[in-house]
Amino acid sequence: MSKQKNDEEKTYSISELASQLEISPRTIRFYEEKGLMSPNRTPGNQRIYTRKDRGRLKLILRGKRFGFSLDEIAEMIGISEADMNEIDQIEKSLHYGEKKLGEIRRRREELDLLEQDLLEIRDKLLKRLHTLTE
Amino acid sequence: MSKQKNDEEKTYSISELASQLEISPRTIRFYEEKGLMSPNRTPGNQRIYTRKDRGRLKLILRGKRFGFSLDEIAEMIGISEADMNEIDQIEKSLHYGEKKLGEIRRRREELDLLEQDLLEIRDKLLKRLHTLTE
DNA sequence: GTTATAGTTGACGTTAACGTAAAGGATAAG
DNA sequence: CTTATCCTTTACGTTAACGTCAACTATAAC
């Protein structure tokens, strides 16, 4: 009924994924504890991560690099798993999404400011260097 | 000898500054403990913050919003207070600055990716909403 | 001067985000 | 089948970044 391709999608073990993304396996398990992801298991109960899981994890790490807490990230992810049959739910998620998109745009402006701060410091250093070396 | 303007530069008390930047006084004192700033004091030992101190504080908060730790921020700030007589020091600071500028550019790319993630989620929700409401 | 308000320095408490170690089960290699 | 290398859960430890008193001092308003 659904687009069930072939079964040979690339998967990863926890430590593979961890070393790829330069984090520890414990960190990945921790995110799972927090409800940020829930990978499938082998018959022997070991975690297997699909390409999609990998994308999810990268999204989490990205959020972290912008100072979002895991709880906030959980919220962002949550909206992508909202009940797709409840119109109210979808609209609420949309609203939340717009809010976050706004935040991201503001972050971009702040990033510019941060860059300017560093550029100014650099200029100051460069000028001083020139007066010292000439 | 130096450009000593008039003395009436705008200053702030700790709680003024705190409410302006929407943080607690304790947070400001904590940053001082960590060596991130050192405001002047009144004769009665109370902190007075200049416009420059305020800028410094905003820089700190900006760094935080991009996931930098206080230690990293301290390093960034540190380079702006390097010994301006040691050529080696200045060059080292410059090098560090370039590194951080590179990081910022990479952050910008990541910000784009994060935005795309959210845009995709939004599209999914919008489409679903259309099929439900038509 | 008195009183209210805000500031000061400790010092201990709290929370998020993991690190680390123990005890045991799963899997791949030989 | 054995052995080495992974994986599992459980549980306690750690660190950064503050929060929250407490006891005291400064400053502003009256």
Side-chain angles (χ1 to χ4, degrees):
Chain A
M1 187 178 175
S2 58
K3 45 184 172 180
Q4 166 116 340
K5 302 196 178 178
N6 50 19
D7 241 354
E8 35 173 306
E9 214 212 331
K10 197 166 210 167
T11 61
Y12 314 86
S13 77
I14 193 168
S15 60
E16 268 180 307
L17 202 52
S19 74
Q20 279 180 28
L21 304 187
E22 296 182 283
I23 55 181
S24 74
R26 163 68 175 147
T27 297
I28 298 180
R29 289 196 197 97
F30 182 72
Y31 293 162
E32 184 177 344
E33 259 184 60
K34 284 272 167 177
L36 294 175
M37 51 192 319
S38 41
N40 286 332
R41 305 287 186 125
T42 68
N45 199 37
Q46 303 199 179
R47 281 166 254 250
I48 17 180
Y49 296 89
T50 69
R51 187 151 286 273
K52 214 182 158 196
D53 290 323
R54 195 185 125 103
R56 162 74 55 103
L57 193 45
K58 290 194 83 171
L59 169 57
I60 297 172
L61 296 175
R62 223 166 263 150
K64 285 222 63 192
R65 253 168 258 130
F66 289 102
F68 292 107
S69 73
L70 292 183
D71 281 359
E72 288 178 287
I73 297 171
E75 260 192 310
M76 297 191 207
I77 289 174
I79 70 173
S80 72
E81 286 167 350
D83 184 345
M84 290 301 248
N85 293 315
E86 295 274 356
I87 292 187
D88 285 5
Q89 257 307 321
I90 297 180
E91 281 176 342
K92 215 177 133 199
S93 296
L94 272 171
H95 188 70
Y96 180 85
E98 296 294 344
K99 205 178 98 191
K100 283 293 161 187
L101 281 169
E103 275 184 46
I104 287 188
R105 274 163 214 134
R106 256 167 284 137
R107 291 282 165 115
R108 211 188 306 272
E109 290 169 24
E110 284 214 82
L111 196 54
D112 292 344
L113 291 175
L114 189 58
E115 187 178 21
Q116 279 178 33
D117 285 339
L118 290 189
L119 284 175
E120 274 173 35
I121 293 177
R122 189 182 67 170
D123 280 8
K124 225 179 69 187
L125 292 172
L126 276 175
K127 278 179 186 164
R128 180 63 183 157
L129 195 61
H130 284 142
T131 67
L132 281 182
T133 55
E134 76 190 0
Chain B
M1 187 176 172
S2 59
K3 43 184 174 180
Q4 165 116 340
K5 302 195 178 179
N6 50 17
D7 242 355
E8 34 173 306
E9 214 211 332
K10 196 166 209 165
T11 61
Y12 314 87
S13 76
I14 192 167
S15 60
E16 268 180 306
L17 202 52
S19 76
Q20 279 180 29
L21 304 187
E22 296 182 282
I23 55 180
S24 74
R26 163 68 175 148
T27 297
I28 299 182
R29 289 195 196 97
F30 182 71
Y31 293 162
E32 185 178 342
E33 262 182 49
K34 283 273 167 176
L36 293 175
M37 51 191 319
S38 41
N40 286 331
R41 304 288 185 122
T42 69
N45 199 36
Q46 302 200 180
R47 281 165 254 249
I48 15 179
Y49 296 89
T50 69
R51 187 151 284 273
K52 215 183 157 195
D53 290 323
R54 196 185 126 103
R56 162 74 56 103
L57 192 46
K58 290 194 84 172
L59 169 57
I60 297 172
L61 296 175
R62 223 167 262 149
K64 286 221 62 193
R65 253 168 258 130
F66 289 101
F68 292 106
S69 73
L70 292 184
D71 281 359
E72 289 177 287
I73 297 171
E75 261 192 309
M76 296 191 208
I77 289 174
I79 70 173
S80 72
E81 286 167 349
D83 184 346
M84 290 300 248
N85 294 313
E86 294 275 355
I87 292 187
D88 285 6
Q89 257 307 321
I90 297 179
E91 280 176 342
K92 215 177 133 198
S93 296
L94 273 171
H95 188 70
Y96 181 83
E98 295 295 345
K99 206 179 98 190
K100 283 295 161 187
L101 282 168
E103 274 184 48
I104 288 189
R105 274 165 214 134
R106 255 168 284 137
R107 291 283 166 114
R108 211 187 307 273
E109 291 173 17
E110 284 212 84
L111 196 54
D112 292 343
L113 291 175
L114 189 58
E115 187 178 23
Q116 279 178 34
D117 286 338
L118 290 188
L119 285 175
E120 275 174 37
I121 292 177
R122 188 182 68 169
D123 280 8
K124 225 179 69 186
L125 291 172
L126 277 175
K127 278 180 188 165
R128 180 63 182 158
L129 195 60
H130 284 143
T131 67
L132 281 183
T133 55
E134 77 190 0

